[in-house]
Amino acid sequence: MSATRIVLRRAVAVTALTAAGVLAAAGAASAHVTVHPESYAKGATDGVLTFRVPNEEDGASTTKVQVFLPTDRPVLGVMVHPQDGWTAKVTTTKLKTPVKTDDGTITEAVSAVTWTGGKIGAGQYEDFDVAFGQLPENGDQLVFKTLQTYSDGNVARWIEAPTSGDEPENPAPVLKLTAGDDASAAPAAEKKSTEAEVTDGSDSTARGLGIAGLVVGVLGLAAAGFAITRSRATRS
């Protein structure tokens, strides 16, 4: 095999692997379960948390979603919004440390919400809305560990809490608790606007990664062409 063909094959292989890596990263960045909005003020009242569940399997549908709520710093007054095609089961747990509020002492709180009976197909997502009466007044974040069950029996475990380093392989939905004064929930119109911005941001990121992959591919082919030209010149 000539040196020219070896160089060309290597260049094409590197280009393909690099592009595949970029596309894989784009898919991984948008495949896990997330919570919206991304943040609320500590102690916020009368708000809504939306858990967005995308289906990342080509040959199976999502048939069960189970979101676990923390009980060490519980979310109070949880109510589930009816979801077409889905049945919600709310699980409550007795708190180890009761929470004192203006309305009295709370001894139980919701520890999990499980949705079954519906289906999320390939390339689709579903939003599950959970209303709350009050968020904890301490801490910097709430981690909602989530199990996503597919029709083929596979279970995606989105249960890893974020660290100071890179995003974990199976990240759990995380709500940041801020020190701001936006304690009340945003109006419905503002909520929709926020969701649109999130979607646009995700699309822009994916497009950016795709363009980066194409640029890498062009550079790789250009390098291959340069190598072939140089090889011919040397032989001449």
Side-chain angles (χ1 to χ4, degrees):
M1 183 180 294
S2 66
T4 299
R5 290 185 177 180
I6 292 175
V7 170
L8 181 58
R9 282 193 175 186
R10 288 179 178 176
V12 171
V14 170
T15 300
L17 289 173
T18 303
V22 170
L23 293 178
S30 59
H32 60 84
V33 179
T34 52
V35 61
H36 304 280
E38 296 180 351
S39 65
Y40 258 112
K42 297 178 182 180
T45 58
D46 301 327
V48 176
L49 298 175
T50 299
F51 294 91
R52 177 160 295 178
V53 183
N55 188 87
E56 62 175 356
E57 295 287 345
D58 294 331
S61 301
T62 296
T63 57
K64 180 180 179 181
V65 176
Q66 190 170 19
V67 176
F68 296 90
L69 285 69
T71 55
D72 56 340
R73 289 181 296 119
V75 178
L76 305 179
V78 170
M79 293 187 296
V80 180
H81 187 276
Q83 193 80 5
D84 290 343
W86 295 86
T87 300
K89 177 184 177 182
V90 177
T91 302
T92 59
T93 299
K94 186 174 182 178
L95 300 175
K96 293 182 178 179
T97 304
V99 179
K100 294 182 179 181
T101 69
D102 295 338
D103 297 324
T105 300
I106 307 297
T107 59
E108 290 186 344
V110 173
S111 58
V113 181
T114 304
W115 288 272
T116 56
K119 182 177 69 174
I120 307 174
Q124 299 178 341
Y125 73 90
E126 191 87 34
D127 282 345
F128 298 90
D129 291 339
V130 175
F132 63 83
Q134 183 175 344
L135 295 179
E137 297 181 349
N138 59 338
D140 296 325
Q141 64 182 20
L142 292 176
V143 178
F144 300 96
K145 296 182 179 182
T146 303
L147 300 182
Q148 180 180 7
T149 302
Y150 289 92
S151 56
D152 59 4
N154 288 330
V155 179
R157 303 177 182 276
W158 309 111
I159 60 175
E160 297 179 19
T163 61
S164 56
D166 296 333
E167 183 179 72
E169 183 177 355
N170 300 297
V174 175
L175 178 71
K176 297 179 181 178
L177 298 179
T178 68
D181 56 0
D182 53 334
S184 59
E190 183 177 341
K191 176 176 176 289
K192 290 182 180 180
S193 177
T194 301
E195 290 181 350
E197 291 175 2
V198 171
T199 302
D200 292 343
S202 298
D203 291 343
S204 298
T205 300
R207 286 196 296 269
L209 289 171
I211 293 173
L214 292 175
V215 171
V216 170
V218 172
L219 292 176
L221 293 176
F226 175 77
I228 292 173
T229 303
R230 182 178 179 182
S231 175
R232 288 177 177 176
T234 302
R235 287 163 52 189
S236 300

